[in-house]
Amino acid sequence: MTAKRTMTLNLTDAEMRALDELSARKDVSKTAVLRQALRLYQAVEARVERGEKLLFENEATKEKAELMLV
Amino acid sequence: MVDVSTIYLVDGATGSEVRAELRDSIEDAQLVDWQLKWRPAHDALIRELIQKGVSRQQWPQSSHWDWRRKAAQVQGLLAFRGFCVLADGETQGMAQVELTKSARAPVQAGKPIVYIEYLEAAPWNSPELGRAPRYRGVGTALLSAAIALSVEEGFKGRIGLHSLPQAEDFYRRRGMVDLGPDPDPGHQHLRYFEMTAEQARAFLTEE
């Protein structure tokens, strides 16, 4: 098992509610949600740095919308 | 720091247990083995299959995989992890997994899974031409590693993958649910398989 380090995280009530909701919906711990978020953020950043765009496609209409990252 | 576990494979010729290592990383030594050992073995196998008149559909379907390129594409990204099995000083199998995909099976749709992007045993461990593989159990060890990672990450053992046609029975025999051909042309209509948390528990208990 990979060694892990501990940190304290300060969240607002709204952020904590969002974290709780994601944790319940995804059936994972709050730590797992945050680790997933970090993986996704890093992966998106790497692709955007390569010049790629982040697009969402509506499965029904096939309409595409770009998520702007600043 | 690479995590190393002792596992046991089965010698294909004698049926005896062989001590091996499962490592939670694909390092340069594996890519050197792939280039200098796997590829020549693949080429020799293909030549033999041609000589014997075996149709192209029956050739190993993963022999075009370029592990050096695959490893380079995901280097440094937290979303990807690799595993390898070592025995007799050689790389016997490798797997690359992704941690940001979600389950599709109705009972667990939307929940995170460990998605197996690539899983391949060394060519001498494949049963082509009716020969006994040098070592049995490499694929199962790599599958177990993906399930164990899923448990460690809090995904409760859930895993998913698109299977090459030649490997479909392997995954069915290990209790994975066949969700049928993927309609997305990006996945070449390969069949998609998933393992639920319950099936993962049963798999790990059996193993």
Side-chain angles (χ1 to χ4, degrees):
Chain A
M1 187 182 288
T2 310
K4 294 186 179 69
R5 296 169 70 177
T6 303
M7 67 174 283
T8 304
L9 186 65
N10 295 313
L11 297 177
T12 63
D13 285 348
E15 288 163 346
M16 187 58 91
R17 268 198 307 279
L19 184 55
D20 280 332
E21 283 167 16
L22 277 169
S23 168
R25 193 186 318 155
K26 298 290 179 184
D27 190 26
V28 293
S29 67
K30 284 183 267 196
T31 301
V33 171
L34 291 170
R35 297 179 75 206
Q36 282 293 76
L38 184 57
R39 289 182 190 120
L40 280 165
Y41 193 10
Q42 189 205 36
V44 167
E45 278 292 299
R47 297 189 74 153
V48 169
E49 275 176 25
R50 290 205 304 256
E52 296 180 48
K53 287 180 178 175
L54 183 60
L55 296 172
F56 285 90
E57 185 182 60
N58 184 311
E59 268 197 300
T61 64
K62 301 296 173 198
E63 194 179 336
K64 289 187 176 76
E66 184 184 347
L67 181 69
M68 297 300 289
L69 299 167
V70 289
Chain B
M1 180 86 175
V2 178
D3 195 55
V4 182
S5 318
T6 298
I7 58 167
Y8 291 90
L9 303 175
V10 175
D11 186 308
T14 65
S16 58
E17 277 195 340
V18 178
R19 194 182 165 94
E21 279 182 5
L22 173 71
R23 302 170 72 92
D24 70 345
S25 180
I26 294 173
E27 297 174 287
D28 205 47
Q30 278 66 63
L31 302 177
V32 169
D33 276 355
W34 168 76
Q35 197 156 0
L36 300 183
K37 295 174 181 172
W38 288 31
R39 287 183 69 173
H42 269 304
D43 292 346
L45 178 61
I46 298 297
R47 280 196 300 274
E48 198 176 338
L49 292 169
I50 291 170
Q51 270 179 359
K52 294 193 171 174
V54 176
S55 71
R56 186 177 274 269
Q57 284 91 342
Q58 291 170 281
W59 295 3
Q61 292 167 337
S62 60
S63 53
H64 63 288
W65 287 0
D66 183 337
W67 280 96
R68 194 168 280 285
R69 190 172 56 81
K70 292 179 193 313
Q73 281 172 339
V74 301
Q75 192 177 19
L77 292 176
L78 298 169
F80 298 88
R81 298 277 291 272
F83 296 102
C84 68
V85 171
L86 268 70
D88 200 19
E90 291 180 321
T91 306
Q92 303 297 335
M94 290 188 274
Q96 183 174 296
V97 303
E98 184 177 351
L99 298 168
T100 57
K101 296 219 188 285
S102 299
R104 302 179 182 189
V107 292
Q108 56 187 10
K111 295 176 180 175
I113 57 168
V114 168
Y115 175 78
I116 300 174
E117 285 207 307
Y118 305 102
L119 187 155
E120 188 179 25
W124 49 82
N125 294 325
S126 298
E128 271 84 19
L129 296 170
R131 280 191 298 230
R134 195 182 301 169
Y135 296 115
R136 293 182 198 277
V138 174
T140 303
L142 292 167
L143 195 65
S144 302
I147 297 168
L149 176 63
S150 173
V151 171
E152 186 187 325
E153 289 295 331
F155 304 168
K156 303 184 177 171
R158 295 182 293 257
I159 62 166
L161 57 90
H162 287 86
S163 176
L164 292 171
Q166 286 170 344
E168 289 169 359
D169 285 342
F170 171 83
Y171 295 116
R172 284 193 194 101
R173 284 199 302 271
R174 276 144 192 89
M176 296 187 76
V177 181
D178 178 357
L179 296 176
D182 193 316
D184 179 358
H187 286 108
Q188 299 155 327
H189 302 294
L190 294 175
R191 299 185 84 84
Y192 178 74
F193 290 76
E194 217 164 84
M195 186 176 272
T196 64
E198 199 170 290
Q199 289 161 341
R201 269 195 301 276
F203 177 91
L204 292 175
T205 305
E206 278 176 29
E207 293 301 312

